[in-house]
Amino acid sequence: MTDNARTGGPGFMLALEARATGPDEPDLNTAIAAARDEYRDGDADARRMWSDAAAHDWDMLCADPVTRGEWASDVRRLAILATVFEAVPERAERMILTWALDPDEPSRADMRGMLGDERPVDFDRLLDDLTDGACAYAPGDDLLADRIGTASNVLGPIAENAPDVVAYAITSLKAAFTLAQGDLAEAMDLIAFCRPHLDSTRLADAVEAQARARAQSGGDGMGMGMAMGGPTL
């Protein structure tokens, strides 16, 4: 591998492409495995650069109109995102939730800050601000559905090709999206499905607590429609 690979650059893709035998190679699963190996070999400075690159790649993939209505297909960017998601899942969850659910869209610098912040994430407060705060989207807002759909287009191929721990963490993100759109029962079902497989349950705990609180305060949990605006994760 090249030194460039150790800074979060395209080195792992160059090595894979050099061995590719057809137009469909390297596939995403193989690229993610290679990216994971290089990330683990890197030092603290290199890993920070991978996180900075992941924030950029998330922003670029979500901004690409080609991906609307279908899964994102940029193998290099998706592999970097999957690797950082596995390495720092709670930070990645915070970044993605904020990007998707905050009407005041975070800047790329904001997202890099979220991925670099080593403090534990207070998901209870974050979800309260993003889904029930004074400036939160209304559950049926078309822009909310569009942003969730866009996020789903990027998360879908990662969930299908990354290690199971990442796939289940993405399911907990999907539960948070569902909660934001008002479907309490579906959010609870998703949490029950993924909870046994999660290394960290902070986000799952927060989604479950908020769903129960809303149901007890008068919501029936029958759902307002997920309106994911994209393929199932």
Side-chain angles (χ1 to χ4, degrees), residues 14-54:
L14 291 175
L16 290 170
E17 289 169 1
R19 299 194 300 268
T21 60
D24 295 329
E25 296 183 26
D27 63 90
L28 180 55
N29 184 274
T30 302
I32 288 173
R36 291 171 70 206
D37 289 344
E38 291 197 7
Y39 180 91
R40 290 170 177 173
D41 286 344
D43 59 17
D45 288 338
R47 292 179 182 183
R48 278 194 292 272
M49 293 188 73
W50 277 74
S51 290
D52 287 348

Side-chain angles (χ1 to χ4, degrees), residues 114-197:
M114 293 176 203
L115 289 176
D117 189 346
E118 298 180 358
R119 294 171 296 179
V121 181
D122 186 346
F123 281 114
D124 290 308
R125 180 174 180 178
L126 180 64
L127 276 183
D128 188 57
D129 289 344
L130 293 177
T131 67
D132 204 29
C135 297
Y137 284 113
D141 193 300
D142 288 343
L143 184 55
L144 173 64
D146 181 65
R147 294 189 73 77
I148 289 175
T150 299
S152 299
N153 295 343
V154 178
L155 293 170
I158 294 174
E160 286 291 317
N161 291 277
D164 287 347
V165 64
V166 175
Y168 286 113
I170 288 175
T171 299
S172 68
L173 268 177
K174 181 179 175 181
F177 293 159
T178 305
L179 174 74
Q181 293 186 296
D183 195 332
L184 308 184
E186 177 66 12
M188 293 284 285
D189 286 346
L190 288 167
I191 290 301
F193 170 75
C194 71
R195 184 184 287 282
H197 310 283

Side-chain angles (χ1 to χ4, degrees), residues 61-72 99 146-147 149-151 153 229-231:
L61 287 167
C62 288
D64 184 359
V66 175
T67 67
R68 298 299 171 91
E70 60 185 26
W71 277 0
W99 183 92
D146 181 65
R147 294 189 73 77
T150 299
N153 295 343

